[in-house]
Amino acid sequence: MKYYMVDAFTNEHFKGNPAGVCVLETMLPAEQMQQIAAEHNLSETAFLLKTEEGYQLRWFTPGFEIDLCGHATLASAFVVFQYLEPELTEVVFHTMSGDLTVVRKANLYEMSFPQRLPEKINITPEAIAIFGSNSLELYSDRDLYVVMETERQVRGYVPDYNELKCFKNWLGVVITAKGEDTDFVSRYFCPELTLEDPVTGSTHSTLIPMWSNRLKKDKLVAKQLSARGGTLYCEMGERDVKISGEAVLYMTGEIMIS
């Protein structure tokens, strides 16, 4: 099968978040897709299958399938628009999280994602011990969200994954704060995989409503402060959020499996 590797949420190589995109002719068993994702060992590998109404899209980490992924969706849209169907300006992906629409607007790829409104929860002793008293608020959704006082605290945080594993009720841990040069910043840690994700589009389904409400504005610019870094252009809608970013091709190839 044809394989693409794309750096998402950036226009530079070795920045943003790399994702693998496999273009299928027929749907593979989930076990085989999981094996391929483990072989690639990227944070996400996407699997695309053309349908009459668009494309079926599934996302796999090296360890498991997930229900929503932003950077691998952006990478998949980039592949569709640049290589599979360059005449298109809009594509619909059928996913575990419903139909996701991506629109090409010049160099940006605008994704419409569902809003995920988090539940505010009490600050726990574990959170204070791990993040310190600079953690202002905690929110719960698929991931745990920790609101800090400053961008500097987010940028300077050093994760201890053994400590973060105490938050076993959530897929990942997000730390976030008001930005200095942008509206807000964040970082994402996955304790189970002991890694920091470079740029996490799916968490912005929650971060955009949080910061739109806090800052009283609908259009926001966000940065994820990982080593690779990435910029996301965000907009709050009535029922969804729009997340836009750039992408650049790193590699193409063919996967040889029997």
Side-chain angles (χ1 to χ4, degrees):
M1 74 187 71
K2 193 73 174 178
Y3 174 72
Y4 300 81
M5 188 171 168
V6 177
D7 290 334
F9 294 114
T10 183
N11 58 9
E12 301 178 62
H13 289 119
F14 314 117
K15 300 289 185 181
N17 202 351
V21 181
C22 299
V23 181
L24 305 178
E25 294 185 4
T26 59
M27 184 53 65
L28 297 178
E31 180 182 2
Q32 194 167 44
M33 288 189 282
Q34 186 63 74
Q35 290 173 328
I36 293 169
E39 184 83 359
H40 294 170
N41 202 32
L42 294 170
S43 63
E44 305 291 345
T45 297
F47 293 85
L48 272 181
L49 178 64
K50 175 69 175 174
T51 68
E52 291 183 1
E53 298 82 18
Y55 288 84
Q56 187 173 348
L57 174 61
R58 295 173 71 172
W59 311 277
F60 287 79
T61 76
F64 48 83
E65 185 175 9
I66 64 169
D67 65 340
L68 185 65
C69 178
H71 80 280
T73 301
L74 193 155
S76 299
F78 174 85
V79 168
V80 170
F81 291 136
Q82 295 295 329
Y83 302 103
L84 303 183
E85 298 188 80
E87 72 279 5
L88 295 182
T89 57
E90 180 176 313
V91 63
V92 178
F93 295 118
H94 311 293
T95 78
M96 291 174 65
S97 292
D99 288 352
L100 305 178
T101 301
V102 184
V103 178
R104 177 171 55 178
K105 295 185 175 181
N107 294 330
L108 291 176
Y109 301 90
E110 182 185 83
M111 304 181 290
S112 296
F113 271 26
Q115 288 182 20
R116 289 183 162 177
L117 305 178
E119 176 188 0
K120 188 175 182 180
I121 60 177
N122 293 329
I123 296 284
T124 64
E126 292 85 0
I128 294 175
I130 293 172
F131 302 108
S133 57
N134 56 11
S135 52
L136 295 177
E137 297 174 352
L138 286 184
Y139 291 86
S140 174
D141 190 49
R142 182 192 72 176
D143 305 298
L144 178 68
Y145 293 80
V146 183
V147 181
M148 293 185 166
E149 291 180 342
T150 67
E151 176 178 321
R152 183 176 180 181
Q153 291 165 344
V154 173
R155 190 182 297 274
Y157 174 71
V158 179
D160 181 323
Y161 289 100
N162 287 326
E163 290 182 339
L164 292 177
K165 285 178 181 176
C166 76
F167 301 117
K168 57 182 178 296
N169 293 329
W170 296 275
L171 178 65
V173 177
V174 181
I175 58 175
T176 184
K178 189 177 185 300
E180 296 172 359
D181 301 318
T182 57
D183 292 297
F184 66 91
V185 297
S186 66
R187 293 173 68 189
Y188 181 92
F189 307 100
C190 185
E192 184 173 344
L193 300 176
T194 62
L195 60 77
E196 177 174 358
D197 195 41
V199 192
T200 318
S202 61
T203 61
H204 287 73
S205 284
T206 303
L207 286 166
I208 293 170
M210 284 175 56
W211 284 106
S212 177
N213 181 60
R214 295 172 79 93
L215 300 177
K216 307 303 180 187
K217 57 191 302 187
D218 292 334
K219 293 186 177 181
L220 309 102
V221 179
K223 280 190 177 179
Q224 198 151 327
L225 301 179
S226 64
R228 292 174 63 105
T231 302
L232 306 93
Y233 302 93
C234 311
E235 185 174 351
M236 182 72 174
E238 291 186 8
R239 294 185 179 86
D240 63 1
V241 296
K242 297 188 185 303
I243 306 167
S244 300
E246 296 182 86
V248 60
L249 180 70
Y250 172 70
M251 180 179 71
T252 62
E254 291 184 343
I255 297 173
M256 312 299 290
I257 56 174
S258 56

